[in-house]
Amino acid sequence: MAVVFVRAVILYILLIFTVRLMGKRQIGELQPSELAITILISNIATLPVEDTGMPLLTGIIPILTLASLDVIMSWLGMKSRLIRKIMCGKPVIIVSDGKPDRKKMKAIRFTVDDLIASLRGQGIFDISEVQFAVVETTGTLSVYQKFADRNVTNSDMELKGKDTDPPEVVIADGECIPEAMERIGITNEWIENTLKREKTDIKSVFLMTVTADKNYSIMGNEG
């Protein structure tokens, strides 16, 4: 049992390192080549855990090889549009000028049910509202609505305002986050003085957010 435990821990750490090396993506955002490598790696990782007679390197070497191959192909894809097209395919326009293109939908095996379900996922329940729709290389659907059905924006209403960044989380679970503090230009002294005015301290703060113009919100551990 101890051998299995140690092997599992080693492979777990290796898989975390491998996934970080391949980049941060959700399963639904993986390109076909990335999904294939992810499935292969997950299957390979189980073999040395299940079979303790198998050398651990039998699992480690293929995993590192596949991860390295993915990084190399990603780098080549950044250099060559042709390689990107071969590895990832290209986006397909399935709705143009408000009309579904049945031939293209059939070519990529995208059914009417797939189209309707993807539209519902974006809050669109009437296909007549769609002006333009594209199936991306990840399989997700990007939609551009007709003018009459788009949400009204501030520019449509000619409202004036300024562009601002969202608030930064500077304290989480009683610990300061230096990177966030640096981005908005505040110091530990500023935080301590602010918390002193609020009659609390860092360890008592569950969440604190601060905007670029130093407006802040504090939530204590007591909720």
Side-chain angles (χ1 to χ4, degrees):
M1 288 299 293
V3 173
V4 174
F5 175 76
V6 171
R7 282 170 169 252
V9 170
I10 292 173
L11 288 169
Y12 172 76
I13 295 171
L14 178 63
L15 288 176
I16 295 297
F17 168 77
T18 302
V19 171
R20 291 291 302 273
L21 183 66
M22 292 171 61
K24 294 182 179 179
R25 287 189 189 230
Q26 297 180 4
I27 293 296
E29 298 174 344
L30 293 176
Q31 299 290 350
S33 60
E34 295 171 332
L35 181 59
I37 287 179
T38 301
I39 293 172
L40 282 171
I41 287 176
S42 64
N43 287 334
I44 291 170
T46 61
L47 298 178
V49 177
E50 294 174 348
D51 185 358
T52 56
M54 179 183 292
L56 195 55
L57 284 176
T58 306
I60 292 176
I61 292 175
I63 289 173
L64 291 178
T65 300
L66 289 172
S68 300
L69 182 61
D70 180 73
V71 172
I72 291 170
M73 293 307 298
S74 296
W75 181 81
L76 291 175
M78 293 176 64
K79 299 292 183 181
S80 170
R81 187 178 181 85
L82 176 60
I83 292 178
R84 281 203 306 273
K85 185 177 178 181
I86 293 172
M87 294 296 297
C88 305
K90 62 179 182 178
V92 178
I93 300 170
I94 62 171
V95 178
S96 182
D97 196 25
K99 299 176 182 177
D101 190 323
R102 297 181 183 179
K103 289 183 178 180
K104 289 184 179 179
M105 290 176 64
K106 186 177 180 180
I108 61 174
R109 296 179 294 281
F110 204 87
T111 67
V112 173
D113 291 337
D114 293 331
L115 176 59
I116 298 300
S118 297
L119 291 176
R120 286 200 299 266
Q122 300 191 40
I124 301 172
F125 289 81
D126 188 348
I127 194 172
S128 65
E129 298 178 8
V130 179
Q131 174 66 23
F132 192 83
V134 182
V135 178
E136 306 293 355
T137 57
T138 58
T140 58
L141 187 71
S142 299
V143 180
Y144 187 67
Q145 288 181 275
K146 292 182 177 179
F147 179 80
D149 298 299
R150 294 175 208 158
N151 293 329
V152 178
T153 65
N154 290 334
S155 60
D156 292 332
M157 301 183 68
E158 298 184 352
L159 297 176
K160 302 299 181 181
K162 64 178 183 178
D163 296 323
T164 58
D165 292 333
E168 291 277 359
V169 177
V170 296
I171 299 178
D173 290 321
E175 293 186 6
C176 291
I177 303 175
E179 298 86 353
M181 294 165 57
E182 184 178 352
R183 279 194 294 269
I184 57 176
I186 63 174
T187 62
N188 285 322
E189 183 181 0
W190 185 91
I191 287 182
E192 290 172 0
N193 291 336
T194 301
L195 295 180
K196 189 178 294 184
R197 289 198 302 271
E198 298 294 332
K199 298 180 180 179
T200 186
D201 55 39
I202 293 175
K203 294 299 181 182
S204 302
V205 175
F206 172 68
L207 179 69
M208 179 177 182
T209 60
V210 183
T211 64
D213 53 5
K214 306 303 184 293
N215 290 323
Y216 60 86
S217 174
I218 298 174
M219 182 183 298
N221 281 322
E222 69 280 357

